[in-house]
Amino acid sequence: MGRLAILGALHEEIADLLAAMDPGAETRRIAMRDFQVGTLWGTPCVIALSRIGKVAAAATASIVIQEFGVSRVLFTGLAGGLHPQVRVGDVVVADALMQHDMDARPLFGRHEIPLLGRERFDADAALSALLLDSARDFAAKGGLPGAAAQPRVHHGLIATGDIFVNDNDLAHDLRQRLPDALCLEMEGAAMAQVCHEFGVPFAVMRVISDSADHAAKTDFTDFLVNLARLYTAGILKPLLQS
Ligand code: ADE
């Protein structure tokens, strides 16, 4: 199967995975990032902190593909809910990703990636199906200890841009423009573009930390500090062990 890359934008989003790596993992430092190479719950992995944003995600994806020869790339972390059906605590697995801030009009269509002739990048169906199964099992067991409601698991479009959306008007505009987008984040579609260009399968799993509204900064920070790590391990451990 080859080595799996697991990427996250902030330390809290991958901290539990780094801590759970089997003994013997090694660190390689490339382009101001640490890449932890070893096995996680028996699966050969390289785990890295990309940092936030599209450029950081694209650089990190290129490195794991070119330097570590990974066979699949998984990006995980938090996202702001956009679709009315998506609530804080839910899990979203991408079926495709797009860059909501790409706008090279009038040279190219709105959201079109110039010279690639496409707006969307499809996630790998097999890896996404494993993530969905594992997320549904996690949700069926009640999700987080003490959680008020069972999280729901969604499969659909994730929209990426270099904007932390903390503004009701911008969220409203994005909802109108992208009615099928489930959530917003800042890395997935950039990693997806790089993987597409290299022909490497990829998937994205996000947990909803906020509603991309005026309270997003506070909600995001609370979720990041208190809850993010419980989801990642809760969903990925059974998947990697299977
Ligand atoms: N990631 C988590 N919440 C987000 C938001 N509101 N906007 C962009 N990325 C996010």
Side-chain angles (χ1 to χ4, degrees):
M1 194 45 124
R3 193 172 288 283
L4 170 70
I6 306 178
L7 309 181
L10 285 168
H11 179 68
E12 290 83 346
E13 294 169 319
I14 54 166
D16 55 339
L17 304 179
L18 291 172
M21 281 188 93
D22 303 324
E26 290 181 358
T27 306
R28 269 187 67 198
R29 191 157 176 84
I30 304 171
M32 299 169 66
R33 291 172 180 81
D34 286 336
F35 294 83
Q36 311 288 341
V37 191
T39 57
L40 176 62
W41 299 306
T43 297
C45 283
V46 50
I47 305 180
L49 177 68
S50 69
R51 303 198 299 269
I52 295 175
K54 287 165 55 184
V55 173
T60 313
S62 304
I63 293 168
V64 290
I65 293 169
Q66 291 192 287
E67 294 285 329
F68 298 95
V70 298
S71 59
R72 296 170 299 167
V73 182
L74 166 63
F75 209 108
T76 186
L78 304 181
L82 193 65
H83 195 279
Q85 301 287 320
V86 174
R87 294 197 216 128
V88 171
D90 287 358
V91 178
V92 174
V93 175
D95 73 346
L97 296 106
M98 55 87 56
Q99 297 174 29
H100 68 75
D101 57 352
M102 175 57 75
D103 190 356
R105 290 176 298 175
L107 303 178
F108 298 91
R110 182 71 164 119
H111 304 134
E112 182 180 341
I113 307 297
L115 306 181
L116 284 187
R118 58 166 62 229
E119 283 181 16
R120 296 182 181 200
F121 299 99
D122 293 333
D124 180 63
L127 183 54
S128 301
L130 291 174
L131 287 165
L132 281 166
D133 281 351
S134 199
R136 285 179 184 133
D137 284 350
F138 177 79
K141 287 183 194 131
L144 298 173
Q150 187 169 308
R152 287 179 296 186
V153 179
H154 308 268
H155 188 212
L157 180 67
I158 294 184
T160 302
D162 277 325
I163 308 171
F164 184 84
V165 181
N166 189 46
D167 176 298
N168 293 341
D169 292 340
L170 179 54
H172 177 74
D173 169 56
L174 286 162
R175 238 173 248 121
Q176 303 280 105
R177 186 151 42 92
L178 303 168
D180 60 335
L182 299 177
C183 65
L184 297 166
E185 40 86 302
M186 301 178 67
E187 297 82 21
M191 176 277 299
Q193 180 176 338
V194 171
C195 289
H196 169 80
E197 293 179 10
F198 278 101
V200 172
F202 63 87
V204 178
M205 180 184 76
R206 294 286 185 174
V207 180
I208 304 301
S209 55
D210 59 82
S211 301
D213 57 8
H214 62 284
K217 179 184 170 221
T218 313
D219 294 346
F220 171 82
T221 309
D222 282 354
F223 205 101
L224 183 71
V225 172
N226 297 313
L227 299 176
R229 62 184 64 207
L230 300 172
Y231 273 82
T232 329
I235 296 172
L236 292 188
K237 187 173 180 182
L239 185 160
L240 296 184
Q241 280 175 330
S242 63

